[in-house]
């Protein structure tokens, strides 16, 4: 749903949107939300109504899991690496036994509030524009110790 008009979105636009959306949650739960300079400088041409919900869902999931993790401080970051955008956290990460089902409809490990449609819809939204999402399993590519989702944006520029 939402406006079907594509425009240039920058990493800075995305970071500001997500920061504003979760401001009180981050403050109340003492979560450090950051974006690297390289992330802030990216640009993609797409529909905001397609891209913003992806970031809202991924950051919402990260927030849920860092609150249940042992790490302090609790961190969620937006960054880039090897041409991909990373949404990373220092929560417990995804169990390797769950990786195959991660982007399937109705799969969830949340004890409350999860319906198992968020990651499925993220993948579908991104695929509609030719983008790809994956869960990063390689330790050398992870940016934080917990969950690391990598998005390959078709036509992404990094100024």
């Amino acid at each position: 749903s939402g406006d079907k008009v594509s425009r240039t979105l920058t990493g800075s636009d995305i970071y500001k949107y997500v920061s504003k959306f979760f401001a009180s949650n981050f403050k109340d739960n003492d979560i450090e939300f950051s974006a690297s300079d390289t992330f802030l400088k990216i640009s993609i041409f797409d529909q905001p109504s397609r891209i913003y919900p992806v970031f809202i869902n991924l950051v919402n999931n990260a927030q849920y899991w860092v609150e249940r993790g042992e790490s302090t401080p609790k961190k969620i970051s937006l960054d880039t690496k090897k041409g991909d955008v990373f949404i990373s956290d220092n929560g417990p990460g995804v169990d390797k036994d769950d990786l195959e089902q991660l982007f399937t409809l109705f799969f969830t490990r949340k004890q409350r509030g999860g319906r198992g449609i968020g990651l499925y819809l993220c993948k579908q939204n991104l695929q509609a524009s030719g983008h790809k999402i994956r869960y990063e399993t390689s330790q050398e590519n992870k940016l934080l110790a917990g969950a690391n989702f990598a998005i390959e944006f078709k036509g992404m520029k990094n100024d």
Side-chain angles (χ1 to χ4, degrees), residues 12 24 31 43 53 63 68-72 79 96 105 159:
S12 181
S24 63
I31 296 172
S43 64
Q63 178 182 282
R68 282 143 188 83
E70 307 278 324
S71 298
T72 55
D79 206 339
K96 68 177 185 164
L105 191 57
D159 296 333

Side-chain angles (χ1 to χ4, degrees), residues 78-138:
L78 306 177
D79 206 339
T80 62
K81 185 172 184 177
K82 297 181 181 178
D84 291 337
V85 166
F86 276 75
I87 300 88
S88 305
D89 66 60
N90 65 344
V94 175
D95 189 288
K96 68 177 185 164
D97 293 339
D98 293 337
L99 293 175
E100 242 180 77
Q101 306 173 81
L102 199 55
F103 294 100
T104 60
L105 191 57
F106 305 125
F107 175 77
T108 185
R109 289 286 181 220
K110 289 183 179 177
Q111 293 186 355
R112 59 181 177 81
R115 291 177 178 72
I117 59 172
L119 289 176
Y120 172 80
L121 290 176
C122 284
K123 186 172 184 175
Q124 298 305 310
N125 268 359
L126 291 167
Q127 281 182 337
S129 293
H131 312 306
K132 298 175 185 173
I133 186 171
R134 71 179 187 282
Y135 182 80
E136 183 59 61
T137 58
S138 169

